[in-house]
Amino acid sequence: MLELKHICYDVDTDRPDKARRILSDVSLGFPKGTVTVITGHNGSGKSTLIKLIMGIDKPTSGRILFNGEDITDASVTERALKGMTIAFQQPVRFKGITVRNLLDAACRKTCTTGEACKYLYSVGLCAKDYIDRPVDDTLSGGELKRIELATALAKGGEVFLLDEPEAGIDLWSFDELVSVFEKLRDKTVVIVSHQSKILQAADRIVVLNSAAQPVVGSRDEILPSLTDVGAPYCMRGGMATE
């Protein structure tokens, strides 16, 4: 179980008089065996929340618990070793590193060709065309995104944090992307997205609003309260929080 307890996050905290609050008193739980989609308007703190969970940024106040252990001060490496995996909105390019190298690093061993094929095929890539390619500017944004998702699957773990996994994959159907989430149904999956097909694949939806408390509920509770599932931060009133 992943839990956030009264999380606050301010930017420009070196100048208290100039600090701007991004997240205010956010308390959320992410149960094992669920896919939770976080959505909301631009600037509501969606990507910030993912970075706080992974330890890339540290909350101004509040606690983060994983399986009952306080990991608020744990490093990114410590969290990764505990089973947390992240895929960024903008994948990193690694000059001089091949796709095979990346999968080996994720697996923490030398992957067999069969294993590499399995991970790449699961995200819609032909292994023989990609396994020895460098992870550099010769790859499109969509190709990089799929390779990053394959790397996340190769690493494995208990918690998968995916920041807008649909970004740049126009040529790859959303149905195939959703099938990746289905493979992780026994894990804790937290996805930042505003795309309707991803929202419809969620067990739970969290709507962030920097000016108010998050709205949390099941997919069936939240989706009818969104005026447009393509822009889920535009909501009608009367939504109850969990």
Side-chain angles (χ1 to χ4, degrees):
M1 177 75 166
L2 175 66
E3 298 175 271
L4 307 182
K5 300 283 191 181
H6 305 292
I7 293 294
C8 296
Y9 182 73
D10 300 337
V11 293
D12 296 322
T13 50
D14 291 340
R15 298 266 315 269
D17 57 319
K18 299 290 185 181
R20 182 167 68 93
R21 179 142 290 185
I22 304 297
L23 295 169
S24 180
D25 196 28
V26 173
S27 293
L28 293 169
F30 301 96
K32 183 177 179 179
T34 59
V35 174
T36 301
V37 176
I38 300 174
T39 194
H41 60 75
N42 290 339
S44 60
K46 303 183 298 295
S47 294
T48 297
L49 196 66
I50 290 287
K51 291 177 181 177
L52 292 174
I53 293 171
M54 194 66 210
I56 296 167
D57 292 327
K58 186 175 178 180
T60 304
S61 61
R63 297 186 302 146
I64 301 173
L65 305 178
F66 182 43
N67 293 333
E69 177 186 356
D70 191 331
I71 61 168
T72 310
D73 296 320
S75 68
V76 174
T77 300
E78 289 170 330
R79 296 182 201 212
L81 291 173
K82 290 180 185 296
M84 302 179 77
T85 299
I86 188 169
F88 295 99
Q89 183 177 349
Q90 295 295 329
V92 180
R93 299 173 191 264
F94 299 92
K95 190 173 181 179
I97 293 179
T98 66
V99 172
R100 184 189 289 273
N101 296 151
L102 210 54
L103 291 172
D104 287 349
C107 292
R108 301 177 68 190
K109 67 182 183 68
T110 300
C111 284
T112 66
T113 300
E115 288 171 329
C117 287
K118 179 183 72 172
Y119 297 129
L120 292 170
Y121 179 78
S122 69
V123 297
L125 294 177
C126 176
K128 69 183 178 67
D129 293 336
Y130 286 92
I131 196 166
D132 293 318
R133 286 190 64 176
V135 186
D136 59 15
D137 291 340
T138 64
L139 293 168
S140 70
E143 288 171 323
L144 278 171
K145 195 70 180 181
R146 293 197 230 179
I147 288 166
E148 185 187 40
L149 287 171
T151 303
L153 293 175
K155 179 188 174 296
E158 295 302 316
V159 176
F160 286 80
L161 308 169
L162 310 176
D163 192 356
E164 295 196 21
E166 73 279 5
I169 59 165
D170 352 345
L171 299 180
W172 187 32
S173 77
F174 278 96
D175 289 339
E176 287 176 298
L177 180 60
V178 169
S179 75
V180 173
F181 308 149
E182 293 297 330
K183 294 181 176 72
L184 301 173
R185 278 287 176 187
D186 60 333
K187 310 297 183 182
T188 300
V189 181
V190 183
I191 305 169
V192 168
S193 182
H194 63 270
Q195 293 294 333
S196 61
K197 281 207 171 186
I198 295 179
L199 287 163
Q200 289 162 7
D203 298 310
R204 300 164 68 250
I205 296 175
V206 174
V207 183
L208 281 188
N209 183 339
S210 54
Q213 286 296 300
V215 175
V216 185
S218 70
R219 175 190 60 235
D220 293 340
E221 290 170 332
I222 299 296
L223 275 181
S225 302
L226 307 178
T227 59
D228 178 356
V229 292
Y233 43 85
C234 302
M235 298 184 297
R236 295 191 290 269
M239 241 192 296
T241 59
E242 190 176 57

